[in-house]
Amino acid sequence: MADKNSSKNNFIMQAGILAAAGIISRIIGLLYRGPLQSVIGNLGLGYYQSAYNYYTIILLISSYSIPSAISKAIAQKLGEKEYRNAHRLFHGAMIYVLVVGGIASLFLFFGAGLFVSGAAVTVLRTFAPTIFVYGILGVLRGYFQAHKSMAQTSVSQILEQIANAVVSVGAAYLLIQMFMGTMEVPADQAGQVMRATYGAVGSALGTGVGVLVALLFMAGVYALNRGMILRRVQRDRHEHVDSYGQIFKTITLVVTPFILSTAVYNLSSTVNNSIYTKWYPSLRNLDTVSIYEKYGIFSGQSLTMSNIPIAFASAMASAMIPSVAQLMAARDVKGAREKIGLAVKTTMVISIPCAVGLFVLAKPVISLLFTNKTAEELNLAAALLMTLSLSVIFYALSTLNSSILQGLGKVNTPIINAGISLVVQTVAAVLLLMFTSLDLYSIAIANTLYSGMMCVLNQWAVRRAVGYRQEIVKTFVIPAFASAFMGAAAWAIYEGLYMVTKSMRISVIPAIVIAAVVYFVMLILMRGITEQELRSFPKGYLLVKVAKKCRLLR
């Protein structure tokens, strides 16, 4: 029993390490978004995000799914102690990404005009080399994740984001200063477009440099461990050695469903971008520059904020794939059910209060991190974030369940579910834009609808796949009640401080800190989390120590 509990704790700990790194990376990403927005403006953000959406799709098809797919394939070999075949899979995956990543990079560079037009073409071409570099990085990350070691990936993510932040802002500033001669925004529209383009190109360069820095770190870690890895391979006494033909077949069979699932799953933002920036202006005869500015507010501010809590679910998902794959390979269905239930509960304990917090404190949080020229821009960004807040819970659960299904071998199910959800979202967005005056809110509503559909379909599919029933009260009800108390406390504290300070930025930070404490206390008092589960979190022993000193735990 002790071993079982230790396994559970290690699983959550590894996911927690990756989640902490993901959240730190997202926070770094947020902190630099404010200065970046000040440099390139909402128009520059609009061009950057439009190009980034298409870059993401090509990346998803070629390289992005590699860590998850490779970790699953290698984890299965490790579970059977086939260390030689696991290492040959690693080599085969490296060859795969060099070929596929190279082709995808060239296609994106020379075919950028097929996806975007005008200023965004140059920005999209700047992203092209990053795809090739990311594929190599993805294989190295997947190799260590297969060994249930998330620390390497975690550190590389943080280094990637730091380099991205520094170079994005610095390169954007230097390019604008170099080619425009001044940081002042031109009065004419042509000058504004040119300035925004240079700024967006600088930000795209930052993305590439960040991935390169992460690759250098991961390559260094692999070099340090290479001797130990090769010694283990030499001690492998399995007679059967997979041929590279078998390996490439395995990689193709494993990677392709991951690619399709991830691509369709993430196609939502690209479709929304195309509908709003291309189809909608022609429908209403609107100025495309103003459309890109508003889309920059939505994607660069509101959507970016709503994506932060989902980092935990993404980390949990990365930890789930090799764990569930090994359990299913060992035919331990009961163990897989327990791990799934624990992962869902942990994700909801984090995601539900985050969604409530973003809804209650949307305006001051946006004000804290971004500089909007007018109160109208601030109000728009805050209202859009409130509209998106529910999607935090839906995306967290659907992201986790997609990876669970992949780990269970149900690789086609997330693709089908994502396709159904995408159709529903697209129809909803088009109808709302055609027959209502909701404008950009139509995209936010469609986004939430998409995540909700995915959440329901994936949860139902997991339930059918392994016959498990998720515990309801401690997973959903208690976190929801505790979050309601937290939200009320956050709102009251913020409003009280704002009456005194008249500053949203000064008032929101104490409100967030106290709200987190209130949620922690309420969750324990309502018995929503056990001491054992609390200890499994990173630095959980400190949380337990504090809880016991405050007599919240006995």
Side-chain angles (χ1 to χ4, degrees):
M1 186 71 179
D3 291 340
K4 194 173 183 181
N5 290 336
S6 176
S7 175
K8 283 184 180 181
N9 289 345
N10 183 62
F11 161 68
I12 296 297
M13 181 66 73
Q14 291 299 322
I17 290 170
L18 200 58
I23 291 169
I24 291 169
S25 299
R26 297 289 178 97
I27 291 172
I28 294 170
L30 272 180
L31 292 177
Y32 91 81
R33 278 302 177 105
L36 180 65
Q37 183 214 16
S38 299
V39 173
I40 70 176
N42 287 325
L43 181 58
L45 278 179
Y47 289 144
Y48 172 82
Q49 289 294 151
S50 295
Y52 186 82
N53 285 335
Y54 289 100
Y55 150 77
T56 301
I57 292 299
I58 303 299
L59 181 67
L60 290 170
I61 293 172
S62 61
S63 308
Y64 191 81
S65 301
I66 289 295
S68 297
I70 295 305
S71 70
K72 178 189 175 183
I74 294 178
Q76 288 175 334
K77 295 296 183 183
L78 293 175
E80 297 166 1
K81 301 190 184 303
E82 295 184 23
Y83 300 116
R84 181 176 290 106
N85 286 330
H87 201 57
R88 286 172 72 85
L89 258 172
F90 169 70
H91 286 158
M94 195 64 75
I95 296 170
Y96 174 90
V97 297
L98 289 173
V99 174
V100 175
I103 294 171
S105 293
L106 292 172
F107 173 73
L108 186 64
F109 185 85
F110 292 106
L114 299 173
F115 303 103
V116 293
S117 58
V121 172
T122 305
V123 184
L124 187 54
R125 283 178 175 160
T126 308
F127 279 118
T130 307
I131 291 176
F132 179 74
V133 179
Y134 190 94
I136 305 170
L137 172 62
V139 172
L140 288 168
R141 283 176 171 172
Y143 185 74
F144 284 101
Q145 286 174 23
H147 289 77
K148 299 182 182 178
S149 180
M150 306 298 173
Q152 298 85 357
T153 296
S154 300
V155 175
S156 73
Q157 285 179 342
I158 295 172
L159 292 175
E160 176 185 346
Q161 198 59 256
I162 291 173
N164 184 7
V166 173
V167 176
S168 289
V169 178
Y173 181 89
L174 289 175
L175 286 177
I176 292 173
Q177 186 69 46
M178 187 185 303
F179 290 102
M180 301 298 294
T182 177
M183 294 303 295
E184 295 295 323
V185 179
D188 61 302
Q189 191 176 89
Q192 291 172 9
V193 170
M194 186 179 297
R195 183 186 186 280
T197 304
Y198 288 130
V201 166
S203 186
L205 285 173
T207 302
V209 172
V211 172
L212 180 60
V213 167
L215 172 60
L216 293 174
F217 171 79
M218 292 298 297
V221 171
Y222 177 77
L224 290 174
N225 288 275
R226 189 169 183 271
M228 181 271 292
I229 292 168
L230 292 179
R231 284 193 298 272
R232 190 177 61 178
V233 169
Q234 289 169 358
R235 290 196 297 267
D236 185 357
R237 294 294 178 262
H238 282 84
E239 294 182 3
H240 175 73
V241 178
D242 293 339
S243 68
Y244 275 107
Q246 291 174 307
I247 286 170
F248 287 125
K249 182 179 179 181
T250 299
I251 291 172
T252 303
L253 291 175
V254 172
V255 170
T256 302
F258 272 82
I259 286 172
L260 292 174
S261 176
T262 311
V264 175
Y265 187 73
N266 288 273
L267 201 59
S268 168
S269 58
T270 304
V271 171
N272 282 337
N273 173 51
S274 296
I275 289 172
Y276 189 72
T277 62
K278 293 183 177 180
W279 176 76
Y280 185 56
S282 61
L283 175 70
R284 297 290 176 91
N285 195 26
L286 298 170
D287 175 39
T288 55
V289 172
S290 64
I291 286 291
Y292 271 107
E293 282 183 326
K294 286 196 291 185
Y295 189 77
I297 292 172
F298 170 72
S299 59
Q301 297 185 40
S302 307
L303 198 58
T304 299
M305 279 300 309
S306 70
N307 283 336
I308 292 178
I310 302 169
F312 187 87
S314 299
M316 186 68 72
S318 297
M320 281 297 299
I321 292 175
S323 297
V324 172
Q326 286 185 354
L327 287 168
M328 294 305 290
R331 294 181 174 82
D332 185 1
V333 178
K334 182 180 178 182
R337 284 197 207 106
E338 290 178 356
K339 192 148 286 189
I340 290 167
L342 181 61
V344 171
K345 178 182 177 180
T346 307
T347 302
M348 290 298 96
V349 164
I350 301 295
S351 302
I352 292 174
C354 287
V356 172
L358 288 177
F359 181 84
V360 173
L361 299 175
K363 189 172 181 179
V365 164
I366 291 289
S367 176
L368 178 67
L369 296 167
F370 299 97
T371 302
N372 287 289
K373 296 177 184 177
T374 64
E376 183 181 358
E377 289 182 353
L378 173 60
N379 290 334
L380 175 61
L384 288 169
L385 179 56
M386 293 175 73
T387 308
L388 290 168
S389 59
L390 186 60
S391 70
V392 169
I393 300 170
F394 293 151
Y395 267 123
L397 192 52
S398 62
T399 298
L400 178 64
N401 281 328
S402 285
S403 292
I404 290 171
L405 289 166
Q406 289 165 348
L408 292 170
K410 304 290 183 180
V411 291
N412 292 325
T413 304
I415 302 173
I416 296 169
N417 293 345
I420 294 170
S421 302
L422 185 63
V423 171
V424 173
Q425 172 215 262
T426 304
V427 171
V430 169
L431 292 177
L432 287 171
L433 288 170
M434 285 181 66
F435 299 111
T436 73
S437 57
L438 290 171
D439 195 72
L440 199 50
Y441 294 101
S442 301
I443 302 299
I445 293 169
N447 182 280
T448 303
L449 180 61
Y450 173 83
S451 61
M453 286 285 297
M454 279 292 294
C455 177
V456 172
L457 293 174
N458 280 351
Q459 184 74 7
W460 178 251
V462 171
R463 179 177 175 178
R464 284 186 302 168
V466 289
Y468 99 106
R469 288 178 177 271
Q470 183 65 40
E471 187 278 329
I472 300 296
V473 175
K474 290 185 177 181
T475 303
F476 299 104
V477 178
I478 291 178
F481 273 108
S483 298
F485 279 105
M486 179 207 75
W491 178 82
I493 293 163
Y494 168 74
E495 290 293 335
L497 289 173
Y498 184 70
M499 288 176 64
V500 176
T501 64
K502 301 299 180 184
S503 170
M504 284 188 283
R505 293 180 177 179
I506 294 174
S507 304
V508 71
I509 295 175
I512 292 173
V513 173
I514 296 172
V517 173
V518 169
Y519 178 72
F520 175 70
V521 170
M522 292 301 302
L523 191 65
I524 294 176
L525 289 178
M526 298 173 77
R527 302 292 184 263
I529 192 167
T530 65
E531 179 179 336
Q532 181 184 330
E533 289 169 342
L534 200 56
R535 285 185 184 277
S536 67
F537 283 85
K539 300 295 182 182
Y541 69 94
L542 288 178
L543 295 175
V544 170
K545 189 175 180 180
V546 171
K548 287 188 173 181
K549 277 195 172 184
C550 297
R551 298 188 178 182
L552 297 172
L553 286 173
R554 296 180 181 178

